[in-house]
Amino acid sequence: MANFQTKIVETDVLIVGGGMAATGAAVEAAYWAKKNGLKVTLVDKAAMDRSGAVAMGLSALNQYLGVGAGDNTVEDYVRYVRQDLMGITREDLVFDIARHVDGTVHLFEKWGLPIWKDEAGKYVHEGRWQVMINGESYKVLVAEAAKNALGTENIYERVFITEPIVENGKCVGAVGFSTRDEVFYVFKAKAVLVAAGGAVSVFRPRSVGEGLGRSWYPPFNSGSSAYMTIKAGAEMTCQEVRFIPVRFKDGYGPVGAWFLLFKAAATNAFGENYMATHADELKKYAPYGLGKPIPACLRNHLGMMDIFAGKGPLYMQTAEAIQKIAANAPDEKSAKKKLKELESEAWEDFLDMTISQAILWAAQNIEPEKVPSEIAPCEPYFIGSHSGASGAWVSGQEDLQTEATKKDYFWGYAYMTTVPGMFAAGDASGASSHKFSTGSFTEGRLAAKAACKYCVDNKAAPVVTDAVIEDFKKRTTAPMALFEQHQAYSNDPNINPNFIKPRDYMFRLQKLMDEYAGGVSSQFTTNEKLLDRGLHLLGMLKEDAAKLAAGDLNELMRCWENIHRTWQAESHIRTLQFRQETRWPGYYYRADKPGLDDANWKCFVNCKCDAKTGEWTMIKRPIHRIVE
Ligand code: SFD
Ligand code: AMP
């Protein structure tokens, strides 16, 4: 019989998550906390050293401007992001992160992160904005900095946050439970910074059966950020802008180094370069289709055209690219040396961040310098920090507002959601794409500074009554109680008419999203009728969420992960339905609304849910330019 003990922790700033944004927040908050006598607490569902998207490490820092060296300006970066997101971006947020991100990179280097340097001592770039690293231990390094800053006594690892505490419209904490011991946690806080990553496994993945759980983005990012913010009543933005990365097939190895560093071409099965053969298609999506670089969704779109035409599989021409670079060497001996070097860089790219891809190459006898390698568009992910844009709608920085932007983009504290006291950063905040690891850490810092200021200005201690706490505890642990009550009814712990286990619930959610909301098996295509039907079925699934059952603490976490995913799913379907165009072909297609409609839809689509009535409101918000 489960017997949860209750532990109450009182703090000023509560950081939910232990990933890139959260570690940045920890480092910055510790500084302002010391100055102002505040307490900062961080809670991670896993162990910070290897939690979140950077668990396996990374091979590049994807946002670095080199402003000091005169390489780029902050304005350049804003234009780049605007172009990549087909015109839909919060320029004030992108600007703010971009103007501070170089400082973060220099900090990482000071802490010991090995950044590649050329003979002149300059960073080696993968592309214009990306610098190469030996990043297998990247996460360990930033976690260490966060631990040193906060003190391990203020860090709770393996505690899964389930819900926000909202009293009188303000966020005053969060509740959760230990995934190791029967302890129910209540964190009372003056400010809560949500940095619990994006959402994976909302859609049916390509990996099934023995490969289940393999994905490009980490399976442990399960929509907690979206749930926390939506449930608190925060306005969300760009919930339709999922990210479909093209990746090496089945191992999900990233392609950036191949496209940018090795200048490889991708082709269809007949050796045709789809970026060249379908170049005319880009005109349909002017002005974005004709700008440079070609937006990620349109790059996907041109490849998908070949897949849909039956010309797959697609291939990254790795061998051709490597041989071409080596052939530029002045003589045969240095060409051979270069070839060896490139070969080892190719393997390291995966060993630094997607080890499974290296294992798959080995298993399939792939020598990248000799044969091409299959690539494919992945299942959709929700990730506000990469080339998607979903997340909470947050306030911008005051000094970046104009008369026009101030009424729409500013409400007092930077990176605060529309719920007072609740902040968001990294994947949790929307409309500021292309943050990546460095920008997420930077945004965490900026949000934490504002959260500390909020605590200084709002000194009243949060009041959470015992009755409220008991109610949260009952809800949090309900799946275990349900399992205990009914488990004797059948001889299979997973099959029982009285409950549904989280694994089966997840399959149902994924099937629904895949078939109705434009997943892999629907060729990323949907329409109003499919979305209507999907929403109807999702309503029924939500009813069954009350019957989720857990046999142990791990399953209890799985139950809550799926509740969190469900809310991400619902906000996605509703936003797909509301936007009457196909602005990001290659991410999704509204078959009944093909093409762009700038006149009506060059705007943000936001949404929010009234937690009491369950009623959703859809909102259009204007796009303001702050950079020409
Ligand atoms: O090649 C709860 N990313 C890349 N960024 C780069 O800068 N360079 C690269 O090389 C990158 N590439 C890449 C990347 C990611 C992945 C998975 C691969 C390759 C294979 C993107 C960045 O990693 C990403 O943008 C940031 O990490 C985003 O930061 P953040 O903080 O928003 O998310 P997180 O780091 O995943 O952390 C989430 C944390 O939340 C915790 N958590 N804690 C408590 N309660 C809950 N309910 C929780 N739910 C989640 C997690 O444990 C974690 O600590 S490439 O593709 O471009
Ligand atoms: P990825 O490995 O796809 O996550 O890419 C890493 C970085 O390179 C991101 O900043 C991408 O936007 C960028 N990138 C990847 N492929 C291309 C490409 N073909 N053209 C321009 N930028 C790219």
Side-chain angles (χ1 to χ4, degrees):
M1 195 69 156
N3 182 20
F4 283 81
Q5 195 198 333
T6 301
K7 274 198 184 156
I8 298 180
V9 178
E10 300 201 12
T11 189
D12 292 298
V13 179
L14 174 68
I15 302 169
V16 179
M20 289 310 295
T23 46
V27 167
E28 189 77 21
Y31 174 83
W32 296 104
K34 200 167 171 197
K35 277 195 161 194
N36 294 288
L38 302 173
K39 181 177 171 189
V40 182
T41 304
L42 182 148
V43 188
D44 191 348
K45 77 189 263 192
M48 259 166 95
D49 278 352
R50 292 276 175 194
S51 71
V54 188
M56 277 194 260
L58 291 180
S59 69
L61 304 179
N62 279 353
Q63 190 185 359
Y64 178 72
L65 276 69
V67 173
D71 294 344
N72 293 292
T73 65
V74 173
E75 287 80 0
D76 290 334
Y77 201 75
V78 174
R79 281 188 282 269
Y80 161 64
V81 178
R82 177 168 73 206
Q83 155 73 8
D84 195 65
L85 269 294
M86 307 291 280
I88 310 293
T89 198
R90 275 280 299 277
E91 298 188 8
D92 61 329
L93 300 176
V94 175
F95 193 105
D96 193 33
I97 296 164
R99 69 177 162 174
H100 293 293
V101 76
D102 287 2
T104 289
V105 172
H106 300 149
L107 259 187
F108 289 171
E109 190 174 24
K110 198 173 107 191
W111 293 340
L113 181 68
I115 305 182
W116 293 15
K117 297 259 180 68
D118 64 15
E119 276 145 19
K122 284 196 79 179
Y123 291 160
V124 172
H125 276 255
E126 178 181 88
R128 181 171 174 186
W129 311 107
Q130 303 83 359
V131 293
M132 300 300 296
I133 57 171
N134 295 104
E136 187 277 336
S137 299
Y138 184 9
K139 187 64 205 305
V140 181
L141 189 128
V142 292
E144 185 184 25
K147 284 181 196 168
N148 287 342
L150 282 193
T152 45
E153 68 282 10
N154 293 312
I155 296 174
Y156 294 79
E157 293 184 325
R158 303 193 189 281
V159 171
F160 185 86
I161 292 293
T162 53
E163 300 202 73
I165 310 175
V166 180
E167 292 288 341
N168 301 319
K170 285 186 187 172
C171 185
V172 292
V175 299
F177 64 91
S178 162
T179 59
R180 291 290 165 96
D181 311 298
E182 287 176 1
V183 180
F184 169 69
Y185 278 96
V186 181
F187 296 94
K188 296 185 189 175
K190 292 184 186 129
V192 176
L193 201 170
V194 180
V200 176
S201 293
V202 175
F203 279 81
R204 178 158 49 200
R206 283 186 181 275
S207 305
V208 292
E210 61 170 8
L212 187 69
R214 182 86 279 273
S215 49
W216 166 67
Y217 217 53
F220 14 92
N221 276 9
S222 52
S224 296
S225 295
Y227 179 81
M228 290 290 287
T229 47
I230 299 173
K231 194 72 200 299
E235 190 169 320
M236 305 297 287
T237 191
C238 299
Q239 291 296 93
E240 75 280 42
V241 197
R242 51 171 71 200
F243 179 39
I244 310 274
V246 164
R247 291 292 178 258
F248 283 90
K249 189 163 176 296
D250 297 334
Y252 293 87
V255 297
W258 284 98
F259 280 133
L260 301 178
L261 188 70
F262 300 132
K263 312 264 181 298
T267 69
N268 66 22
F270 305 93
E272 295 159 347
N273 180 337
Y274 54 79
M275 295 305 295
T277 53
H278 296 308
D280 267 357
E281 176 75 9
L282 295 171
K283 291 182 191 153
K284 285 191 196 161
Y285 299 96
Y288 321 104
L290 300 177
K292 288 277 178 287
I294 297 164
C297 65
L298 292 177
R299 299 199 299 266
N300 286 2
H301 173 53
L302 301 193
M304 285 177 189
M305 286 172 73
D306 274 357
I307 298 174
F308 301 161
K311 292 182 172 183
L314 302 185
Y315 285 98
M316 182 74 80
Q317 296 297 340
T318 55
E320 190 185 274
I322 288 187
Q323 301 294 348
K324 216 162 149 183
I325 303 176
N328 281 338
D331 53 62
E332 205 178 318
K333 195 171 160 217
S334 37
K336 263 194 184 151
K337 191 167 164 244
K338 187 73 195 163
L339 198 67
K340 277 273 154 232
E341 233 176 78
L342 293 166
E343 200 188 307
S344 98
E345 280 170 11
W347 284 92
E348 185 183 337
D349 188 48
F350 293 147
L351 291 171
D352 271 351
M353 66 175 161
T354 314
I355 298 154
S356 42
Q357 185 67 56
I359 295 169
L360 194 68
W361 266 4
Q364 295 181 347
N365 299 329
I366 288 174
E367 294 173 82
E369 69 284 12
K370 293 191 181 146
V371 290
S373 204
E374 220 182 314
I375 53 172
C378 301
E379 60 277 356
Y381 305 116
F382 297 94
I383 157 167
S385 69
H386 202 289
S387 311
S390 53
W393 181 245
V394 295
S395 173
Q397 211 68 267
E398 188 167 16
D399 71 309
L400 292 175
Q401 307 305 325
T402 62
E403 275 309 305
T405 63
K406 206 159 183 176
K407 68 176 187 344
D408 295 313
Y409 296 171
F410 179 72
W411 47 96
Y413 297 90
Y415 302 95
M416 191 167 81
T417 67
T418 55
V419 175
M422 180 178 252
F423 294 74
D427 286 331
S429 78
S432 52
S433 322
H434 291 268
K435 299 179 260 207
F436 303 104
S437 64
T438 44
S440 296
F441 188 95
T442 306
E443 192 183 21
R445 294 174 66 187
L446 295 163
K449 184 178 174 186
C452 287
K453 181 161 189 310
Y454 179 90
C455 291
V456 170
D457 296 347
N458 296 273
K459 291 203 167 58
V463 179
V464 187
T465 64
D466 288 350
V468 167
I469 291 174
E470 269 318 296
D471 190 43
F472 270 124
K473 183 174 179 177
K474 211 167 151 193
R475 272 218 306 276
T476 301
T477 57
M480 283 185 84
L482 190 70
F483 181 79
E484 277 161 17
Q485 189 186 347
H486 294 291
Q487 61 169 324
Y489 186 87
S490 73
N491 62 357
D492 184 332
N494 297 313
I495 299 171
N496 194 308
N498 297 293
F499 57 68
I500 181 167
K501 278 298 196 71
R503 196 176 160 93
D504 290 340
Y505 180 101
M506 183 179 79
F507 290 149
R508 224 171 113 189
L509 173 70
Q510 291 178 345
K511 177 171 160 62
L512 188 165
M513 293 304 286
D514 184 51
E515 293 175 357
Y516 297 95
V520 169
S521 65
S522 315
Q523 299 195 320
F524 310 105
T525 303
T526 183
N527 65 32
E528 183 149 9
K529 301 280 182 229
L530 281 162
L531 292 167
D532 278 347
R533 181 80 187 136
L535 205 53
H536 175 72
L537 294 174
L538 191 70
M540 296 177 120
L541 181 66
K542 275 177 85 181
E543 277 177 26
D544 288 349
K547 298 283 180 195
L548 274 163
D552 56 30
L553 288 169
N554 189 264
E555 274 195 346
L556 184 60
M557 177 174 72
R558 297 283 178 249
C559 290
W560 276 99
E561 286 177 343
N562 282 309
I563 293 171
H564 291 180
R565 287 187 183 109
T566 305
W567 285 58
Q568 172 65 72
E570 181 165 4
S571 65
H572 184 53
I573 295 189
R574 288 182 184 278
T575 318
L576 287 176
Q577 215 170 25
F578 189 74
R579 183 181 279 280
Q580 303 289 304
E581 61 165 359
T582 298
R583 179 159 292 261
W584 299 274
Y587 287 174
Y588 73 86
Y589 300 89
R590 272 284 304 255
D592 50 344
K593 299 282 171 192
L596 284 180
D597 177 2
D598 256 358
N600 293 301
W601 293 99
K602 194 171 175 198
C603 63
F604 297 105
V605 170
N606 290 5
C607 63
K608 64 178 180 179
C609 179
D610 182 325
K612 285 208 179 80
T613 62
E615 225 170 89
W616 288 78
T617 315
M618 304 305 300
I619 310 152
K620 276 187 174 187
R621 296 274 180 215
I623 308 258
H624 295 293
R625 277 198 164 178
I626 65 162
V627 166
E628 269 319 299

